[in-house]
Amino acid sequence: PRPNCTPATAGRPPVDLCGSFLPATSWQSGVCCRKLHSGADGSKPSPAAAPDRRPFSRITREDLDSFRKIVPGRVITDPDLLESSNVDWLKSVRGSSEVLLRPQTTEEVSKILKYCNGRNLALNPQGGNTGLVGGSVPVYDEIVLSTALMNNILTFDGISGILTCQAGCVLENVSIYLEERDYIMPLDLGAKGSCHIGGNVATNAGGLRLLRYGSLHGTVLGLEVVLADGRVLDCLATLRKDNTGYDLKQLFIGSEGTLGVITAVSILCPRKPKSVNVVFLGCETFEQLLKTFQLCRGMLGEIMSAYEFLDSECMRLLNTHLKLPNPISDCSFYVVIETSGSDPTHDGEKLHNFLEEAMNSSLVTDGTVATEDSKIKALWSMRERVTEALTHDGFTYKYDISLPVERIYQLVTDMREHLGGRAKSVVGYGHVGDGNLHLNITSPAKDPALLAAIEPFVYEWTASCHGSISAEHGLGLKKRNYIYYSKPRQVVALMGDIKAMLDPKGILNPYKTLPDDLK
């Protein structure tokens, strides 16, 4: 049966038949209008479309000369070299920046921002450019500030496990560094070979280990940030406890480069587990998958580090486009469970008991276990490479939704019913452990009519369940105007006040994160 996503009435706004919230009328109500507003003529321009260019200055020859003094030999103006910085990973957003700056130090970043602020030049901070919502590339001619050359590990404390590094360090490189010292990063992403630590923090990336180690709001201990006017905010603490005043670093985690440019990060890293197991299981219904999750939490407890899922449509795409064979028999749903601990015997016994109970309870129809690195990587690839498989299936509309765990797949089912045969594929996968669904819809080519059918349906559905329209990807350019589906107006207004205080000219990553009505 369809889950009841109708919000409770106490302290919540009423809901209309399509599932969107009706307007709230006062600050005191504590609720928000979760609808977008029409234009003055009643028209509804695409909320994801780029707004008009703001009155920022244009780059001049004198500006280029000034930048060459700040970062000699690292001012890029060759259009061919700028191409990859102007286009996002999905090739869905393209800017027209004519300048790429590649600083190596915080001091250089400070000088660049101070100059840009004085000249009213807009700037786009960029890490590995692996974002999925158009937040990491220019919209117009903003200067691209790349952190790629800020890639040094500054310190590592082998006793506390606290690492301090520059923002341009690639996640995979840091992971290798730590593993050689018997530690791991608390963060693991499919894009780890390209993404930068600074970008991870700026977008509050979630990833595959969040279930075990929590979000970056907890594991990041300190940040160094350059503000729009060039001031350097030194919050680069390496203390696990510091209760002196406001925790300002939290403002910049998830701010998508709109409040300041992160130049260095200190992060708490866990010890490398001595025992790692990965299990790939098949379930016939999503209800069985959820019951397996409950059983897993109860029987595996402290050694469970990941619980991921993908549906049969994902498996079809993996088979078809990447030629990855299904490691078990065909099922409606697949689960990837990872355990990590310090005692192989203890962990193996707990895992054996869990699998025995899951099979005897008919929750799981088939499965396989991996303990060797090569097989572990092979099983993880079934989950991590779904995004890659989707790129071969056509133009992809991607949605990163946070929902109550028991509701997450119902959105996929309802979307298929809603779209009928208009989409090529509608697939669901994600992080069951933290209620994060990745809903992906493909078509042979970009299709405005299909998009109009998807949006705002997907956001109204999510709002009706008190979910979030962005669990871990951020808002960027594409979703900035949908923020009201997840946040009350007074909260968004306060965000605008903070932005105005820290970046009064609005030069940092303009047109991103905050809605167009906060100008």
Side-chain angles (χ1 to χ4, degrees):
R2 179 176 303 190
N4 177 16
C5 288
T6 303
T9 55
R12 297 285 187 178
V15 181
D16 65 19
L17 292 178
C18 69
S20 61
F21 287 87
L22 297 176
T25 57
S26 68
W27 175 283
Q28 290 78 11
S29 67
V31 296
C32 63
C33 167
R34 298 198 180 190
K35 277 190 172 183
L36 300 173
H37 294 288
S38 302
D41 60 354
S43 63
K44 291 188 177 182
S46 170
D52 293 337
R53 185 186 184 278
R54 296 178 191 166
F56 297 114
S57 299
R58 306 275 185 178
I59 287 282
T60 65
R61 188 178 300 275
E62 289 74 21
D63 294 327
L64 293 177
D65 290 340
S66 296
F67 290 139
R68 290 186 179 109
K69 291 177 183 177
I70 298 172
V71 284
R74 288 170 280 129
V75 178
I76 311 300
T77 56
D78 185 330
D80 292 336
L81 298 178
L82 277 161
E83 173 68 14
S84 61
S85 296
N86 268 314
V87 184
D88 72 328
W89 184 79
L90 292 172
K91 295 180 172 51
S92 61
V93 178
R94 177 181 292 274
S96 55
S97 177
E98 298 176 350
V99 184
L100 168 66
L101 304 180
R102 292 163 61 87
Q104 292 178 319
T105 67
T106 300
E107 182 182 7
E108 290 177 345
V109 174
S110 174
K111 290 179 179 178
I112 290 169
L113 265 64
K114 183 177 181 179
Y115 182 88
C116 289
N117 194 57
R119 279 276 295 121
N120 196 33
L121 292 167
L123 187 139
N124 182 96
Q126 188 176 89
N129 197 13
T130 58
L132 300 174
V133 290
S136 59
V137 292
V139 177
Y140 292 104
D141 56 345
E142 300 89 73
I143 296 165
V144 177
L145 176 69
S146 170
T147 59
L149 298 183
M150 302 181 68
N151 56 8
N152 293 313
I153 291 173
L154 304 176
T155 63
F156 176 66
D157 187 331
I159 297 176
S160 65
I162 297 171
L163 173 97
T164 303
C165 66
Q166 288 185 296
C169 289
V170 174
L171 177 58
E172 188 170 50
N173 294 343
V174 177
S175 297
I176 293 170
Y177 173 90
L178 286 170
E179 287 184 19
E180 292 171 350
R181 290 156 178 79
D182 211 26
Y183 279 83
I184 62 171
M185 280 292 285
L187 177 71
D188 188 26
L189 304 170
K192 58 192 168 194
S194 304
C195 63
H196 294 184
I197 299 298
N200 297 153
V201 175
T203 57
N204 190 27
L208 305 170
R209 291 176 178 163
L210 189 139
L211 179 64
R212 177 70 173 268
Y213 301 116
S215 77
L216 291 173
H217 278 291
T219 54
V220 170
L221 302 181
L223 293 177
E224 180 183 72
V225 182
V226 180
L227 302 180
D229 60 5
R231 285 179 295 164
V232 178
L233 187 66
D234 184 2
C235 294
L236 200 59
T238 55
L239 301 173
R240 294 194 63 179
K241 300 179 76 173
D242 181 4
N243 212 10
T244 52
Y246 305 128
D247 191 4
L248 294 180
K249 71 174 182 293
Q250 300 294 348
L251 273 178
F252 301 95
I253 300 173
S255 66
E256 301 186 67
T258 61
L259 300 180
V261 177
I262 295 171
T263 53
V265 178
S266 62
I267 189 165
L268 180 65
C269 305
R271 288 297 297 267
K272 181 180 178 181
K274 293 181 171 61
S275 167
V276 176
N277 301 286
V278 172
V279 184
F280 194 86
L281 304 176
C283 299
E284 283 307 320
T285 68
F286 198 74
E287 183 180 5
Q288 290 175 340
L289 184 150
L290 291 177
K291 288 182 178 179
T292 303
F293 175 56
Q294 289 179 297
L295 183 68
C296 186
R297 293 179 70 184
M299 296 189 70
L300 297 182
E302 79 288 350
I303 67 170
M304 182 173 69
S305 53
Y307 193 100
E308 304 285 307
F309 92 97
L310 56 149
D311 63 13
S312 57
E313 280 292 283
C314 291
M315 182 62 73
R316 179 182 63 81
L317 297 180
L318 291 168
N319 298 160
T320 302
H321 300 302
L322 304 184
K323 308 304 178 187
L324 293 179
N326 188 342
I328 61 175
S329 58
D330 290 343
C331 298
S332 299
F333 297 95
Y334 302 92
V335 179
V336 182
I337 302 171
E338 182 186 77
T339 67
S340 54
S342 59
D343 185 340
T345 302
H346 169 266
D347 297 353
E349 182 179 339
K350 293 191 79 166
L351 187 58
H352 172 79
N353 292 338
F354 159 70
L355 292 173
E356 188 173 53
E357 180 64 25
M359 296 294 286
N360 290 341
S361 302
S362 298
L363 296 177
V364 171
T365 56
D366 196 10
T368 184
V369 181
T371 56
E372 299 173 359
D373 284 347
S374 59
K375 192 175 181 184
I376 286 174
K377 289 179 181 178
L379 291 183
W380 263 120
S381 69
M382 306 304 294
R383 164 63 181 84
E384 290 182 321
R385 297 186 68 186
V386 173
T387 301
E388 179 186 349
L390 282 160
T391 64
H392 298 284
D393 201 53
F395 190 89
T396 306
Y397 297 95
K398 306 182 77 68
Y399 299 92
D400 163 50
I401 305 295
S402 187
L403 290 165
V405 176
E406 68 274 11
R407 307 252 205 280
I408 61 176
Y409 200 74
Q410 188 62 48
L411 175 54
V412 183
T413 302
D414 286 0
M415 183 61 75
R416 285 179 181 146
E417 181 181 339
H418 174 69
L419 295 179
R422 286 178 283 187
K424 183 177 180 182
S425 301
V426 178
V427 309
Y429 63 98
H431 319 287
V432 175
D434 46 68
N436 183 183
L437 169 70
H438 295 305
L439 170 68
N440 286 253
I441 300 158
T442 67
S443 61
K446 195 171 184 178
D447 186 343
L450 176 61
L451 179 61
I454 299 169
E455 301 176 9
F457 175 86
V458 62
Y459 300 125
E460 291 171 344
W461 199 103
T462 300
S464 74
C465 293
H466 306 307
S468 170
I469 65 163
S470 177
E472 60 182 6
H473 291 170
L475 296 170
L477 171 72
K478 296 180 180 178
K479 298 184 181 180
R480 70 197 187 282
N481 285 321
Y482 293 115
I483 191 172
Y484 293 113
Y485 284 107
S486 296
K487 289 289 188 291
R489 282 201 173 271
Q490 64 269 30
V491 171
V492 178
L494 186 55
M495 292 180 188
D497 292 342
I498 294 169
K499 168 71 170 174
M501 179 184 70
L502 294 177
D503 180 19
K505 295 185 178 180
I507 66 167
L508 289 177
N509 220 10
Y511 323 109
K512 318 284 179 58
T513 306
L514 295 178
D516 295 343
D517 60 7
L518 290 182
K519 293 183 179 179

